[in-house]
Amino acid sequence: MTQSFAPGADPATPPPAATSSGMHGFLRGLSGKLVIIVPYLWLLVFFLVPFLIVAKISLSETATAMPPYQPTFDGLTGFLSKLSSFSFDNYLWLTEDALYFKAYVSSVVIAAISTVLTLLVGYPMAYGMARAPTTIRPTLVMLVILPFWTSFLIRVYAWIGILKPEGLLNQFLLWTGVIDTPLVILNTHTAIFIGIVYSYLPFMVLPLYAALEKMDHSLVEAAQDLGCTPTGAFWKVTFPLSRPGVIAGCMLVFIPAVGEFVIPDLLGGSQTLMIGRTLWNEFFSNRDWPVASAVAVILLLLLVIPIMIFQQAQAKTQEQGR
Amino acid sequence: MNGGGWSRFNIASVTAGFAFLYLPIVLLIIYSFNASRLVTVWAGFSTQWYVTLWHNQALLDAAWVTLRVGLVSATAATVLGTMAALALTRYTRFRGRLLFSGMVFAPLVMPEVITGLSLLLLFVALGVDRGMMTVTLAHITFSMCFVAVVVQSRLLTFDRSLEEAAMDLGATPVKTFFAITLPVIAPAIISGWMLAFTLSLDDLVIASFTSGPGATTLPMKIYSQVRLGVTPEINAICTILIAIVATGVLIASVVNKRREVQRRRDEQAAQRT
């Protein structure tokens, strides 16, 4: 592994062509290296380094200057000498105020419930799509992807008009006589669940569909021939075979939902505690950057395990595709 | 139960799912043509809100900023994302590959508040003035990962013997890439670009963190108005945005389909000879 970026390390690379001169080899090496180095550097600078800065600022003290924090250390030289003077005050602050703990817990709970609900709505849909005649399947997939192209903000906004006390859903239910008094849905957790299920449904349906479509249906028939009930066959054959899709779909919904800001802010009302919103308020309203950074660090730590599960699932499907 | 066919239950669940997905959008579009200022009371057909929009200078400015950021960031993200996809599929072993693939996949699920905050702190640390430039850089960073995933999935099913044949016939790697690889993965690159463009058009959270005075994007503008309440004007902007995106997607799918038909015809012709 000494030739870290050398494309020669790729076993699949065909042997150099007979006409290839030294110049070709050089160009080949260069283009191969650039393909790796350029996006690598970009992601290091704009993705990894920013996280380190967040971690650093979360350990610094709040100040009223602009930027509103006291740098804890500058450069590598100051690093060792200042190591002892790191301030964990911001983290202590988070543990002292019950608000933050409650926000974390309620974010995870809301995201988990929403993920289960999305799975319950998405699974029959994906299953139905996978069983559909092959000729219309591409159209159905297209129809699932299409809402994803329209703005997230717009799709959440559309629900305000529907869920309001004098909104379209209540008008409809009052008109049909199902209810006598308007339901209060907007600014409750129910509205958040609806918003998350609605916005993230395509993320759940697509991996599920991909897993279910590959499945050989004769396995289910075999199970039923051998005396399995349809429900038994589902739980013994279909569901286990679709598990990669279930895992990928659930992670794709759960992880962003924990840190969701727009949905709780627009549909959840002012009393909803979710950590994405707490971070936003800490940053934009209280202008407390170090505390906002500490909130972000803990949120990230909370999501490390689900993100790793997602990566693993992603890597596995990639291996299968190879 | 009929084991093989499309059962009634299947049809019902698919139909219900699509109704759930599309009904809110359809209602929003319908109510953008409402004559009444009250959004939920229908008072007849009118296009007056579209006329009002046309005279709202702040909104038009925001739309223009969003469009420019979207075009630049989508293009840069497509180049970087395609490179990342090539790196991930073609070079199975290089130092730090694990970190690299982690950095490509993590932004797909990273909560936007974290990405936004961290990028803002980077720009502050570097002493860069916040504005259109910083929003563009932020959008490139998160949308290139989506492009990488889209292009990568196409590259995984790519028949590499075509490339080998070209190189055996004396083409340089660079020439092989532009003559063989690029045309084959072009549909994936185009849909990657469109995805990056809509992600940029759509983004509220990351733009709010990384933008500065004079660089208000359309979602930021819409958001500040939505907080004040639902108005027919917002329904009208949303309808226009939906129409633009729907047209784009429709054109792309028609082009793709034609290309597919052409490809099949070519293959059949090749087999006959």
Side-chain angles (χ1 to χ4, degrees), chain A residues 3 8 43 48 64 79 146 148 151 154 167 215 229 240 259 263 267 294 296 307 314-315:
Chain A
Q3 282 185 305
L43 286 172
L48 198 64
T64 43
F79 181 75
L146 204 60
F148 181 70
S151 168
I154 293 176
M215 197 186 76
T229 60
I263 295 171
L267 300 178
I307 288 176
Q314 198 75 12

Side-chain angles (χ1 to χ4, degrees), chain A residues 108-310:
Chain A
V108 171
V109 170
I110 289 175
I113 295 174
S114 313
T115 306
V116 173
L117 291 174
T118 316
L119 182 63
L120 290 177
V121 176
Y123 204 101
M125 197 176 160
Y127 189 78
M129 284 169 62
R131 309 285 310 126
T134 28
T135 43
I136 64 164
R137 276 186 214 167
T139 317
L140 293 177
V141 172
M142 181 77 188
L143 282 172
V144 174
I145 299 174
L146 204 60
F148 181 70
W149 295 92
T150 59
S151 168
F152 187 73
L153 186 60
I154 293 176
R155 282 180 288 147
V156 176
Y157 163 79
W159 278 99
I160 301 178
I162 296 171
L163 298 177
K164 279 201 301 189
E166 71 279 11
L168 299 166
L169 180 68
N170 273 319
Q171 282 182 23
F172 177 73
L173 291 176
L174 287 170
W175 177 73
T176 52
V178 177
I179 50 168
D180 305 322
T181 46
L183 299 170
V184 180
I185 304 175
L186 194 63
N187 299 340
T188 65
H189 281 190
T190 315
I192 301 181
F193 296 146
I194 294 175
I196 295 179
V197 172
Y198 179 69
S199 310
Y200 288 97
L201 190 60
F203 291 104
M204 181 65 88
V205 171
L206 291 174
L208 281 176
Y209 169 77
L212 287 167
E213 203 225 356
K214 269 188 289 182
M215 197 186 76
D216 185 359
H217 197 74
S218 56
L219 292 171
V220 177
E221 281 161 20
Q224 290 188 6
D225 286 348
L226 294 170
C228 239
T229 60
T231 327
F234 174 80
W235 288 113
K236 286 210 176 83
V237 179
T238 312
F239 192 75
L241 281 173
S242 66
R243 211 163 56 205
V246 174
I247 293 173
C250 286
M251 290 304 131
L252 279 174
V253 176
F254 178 77
I255 300 167
V258 172
E260 185 54 53
F261 165 73
V262 176
I263 295 171
D265 195 60
L266 292 182
L267 300 178
S270 52
Q271 78 279 35
T272 305
L273 269 182
M274 269 187 92
I275 202 67
R277 227 169 139 221
T278 311
L279 195 159
W280 178 284
N281 290 336
E282 213 56 73
F283 185 84
F284 285 105
S285 311
N286 300 352
R287 301 213 139 264
D288 196 337
W289 293 18
V291 168
S293 303
V295 171
V297 169
I298 295 183
L299 175 57
L300 200 61
L301 291 177
L302 216 64
L303 293 178
V304 160
I305 292 169
I307 288 176
M308 274 164 66
I309 296 174
F310 171 71

Side-chain angles (χ1 to χ4, degrees), chain A residues 65-81:
Chain A
M66 190 68 199
Y69 60 87
Q70 290 273 326
T72 302
F73 58 82
D74 299 295
L76 207 64
T77 42
F79 181 75
L80 291 172
S81 61

Side-chain angles (χ1 to χ4, degrees), chain B residues 13 20 24 39 44 70 75 77 82 95 106 131 158 160 183-184 188-189 210 223 226 243 253 259:
Chain B
S13 47
F20 177 60
V39 211
T75 309
T82 306
R95 189 171 293 162
F158 179 74
R160 292 201 63 181
V184 174
I189 291 179
T210 52
Y223 175 70
V226 166
S253 68
R259 197 190 282 261

Side-chain angles (χ1 to χ4, degrees), chain B residues 129-153:
Chain B
D129 281 335
R130 281 181 279 156
M132 250 173 71
M133 227 262 285
T134 48
V135 179
T136 311
L137 287 172
H139 282 183
I140 293 170
T141 306
F142 83 94
S143 51
M144 70 175 272
C145 302
F146 285 86
V147 177
V149 170
V150 172
V151 175
Q152 189 202 18
S153 64

